[in-house]
Amino acid sequence: TGVQTCALPISIVIGNSAGTGSITLGSSSTTQTVNIGTGAGAATINIGTGTSSTTRIGANGTSFNEIITGQVTVATTASLASRASERQTFNVTGAAVNSTVMVSFATGGTAAANDIKIVGYVGTAGVLTIQVFNDSGAAQTCPVGTVNYTIIQ
C-alpha cells in the first residue's frame, strides 16, 4: 500500500531459478499504465523469451510467437522476361512454415519498375523464399540489392 520510492537504477526480478513467475498490473476493472525508458535512458523489454511463449499486443490482438527481421541480398538477372519470375532462398534460423512474411527493397537500392513485384514466404522451416515477378507485357530491368524482411509467427 502507499507509494514506495527508491534510488535509481534498480533491478526487479520476478520469478525464481526455474524461470517461473508472474506479475499482474491492475484488474479487470482498472487500467494501468507502465512507462519504461521514458527518461534519458533506454529500455529493453524481453517478452516471452521462453521456448513456448506467446505475445499479444492490444486488446484485440492475435497471439504470436516471435518476430524475426533481417536483410538479404537478392541478385536477380539484369532483365526479367515478360510474366516471368525468379526465386531465391535464404536460411533464416527459426523461420516457421506458413509465417506471415513482409519484404521490401531497402532504401538506397535500385528502384523497381511498377510492374516488378516482390513476394516472400516460408514454405520450408528455416528457409525464406523471395520471388521477384515481372507483371509486365515486356521485359523489365530487375532491381538487385538488399531486401528487408520481417517474419511474424
Side-chain angles (χ1 to χ4, degrees):
T1 62
V3 176
Q4 302 294 319
T5 60
C6 59
L8 294 177
I10 62 168
S11 176
I12 300 173
V13 177
I14 300 169
N16 56 33
S17 61
T20 59
S22 64
I23 184 171
T24 302
L25 299 173
S27 66
S28 60
S29 63
T30 64
T31 301
Q32 301 294 318
T33 301
V34 178
N35 296 311
I36 300 173
T38 57
T44 299
I45 305 170
N46 293 315
I47 300 173
T49 56
T51 57
S52 62
S53 301
T54 59
T55 303
R56 188 178 87 179
I57 300 173
N60 298 311
T62 302
S63 293
F64 60 93
N65 295 320
E66 62 188 328
I67 299 174
I68 303 170
T69 62
Q71 294 183 325
V72 292
T73 300
V74 174
T76 59
T77 57
S79 180
L80 194 56
S82 171
R83 311 282 187 238
S85 68
E86 282 194 17
R87 201 175 322 172
Q88 293 182 25
T89 58
F90 305 91
N91 293 328
V92 177
T93 301
V97 174
N98 295 326
S99 297
T100 299
V101 179
M102 295 169 278
V103 291
S104 63
F105 283 100
T107 304
T110 306
N114 288 338
D115 293 322
I116 297 293
K117 312 296 189 244
I118 182 171
V119 174
Y121 59 92
V122 179
T124 302
V127 179
L128 169 64
T129 300
I130 294 181
Q131 192 160 357
V132 180
F133 295 93
N134 176 3
D135 199 27
S136 167
Q140 295 284 335
T141 300
C142 271
V144 175
T146 303
V147 171
N148 297 319
Y149 65 84
T150 301
I151 301 171
I152 302 173
Q153 47 203 29

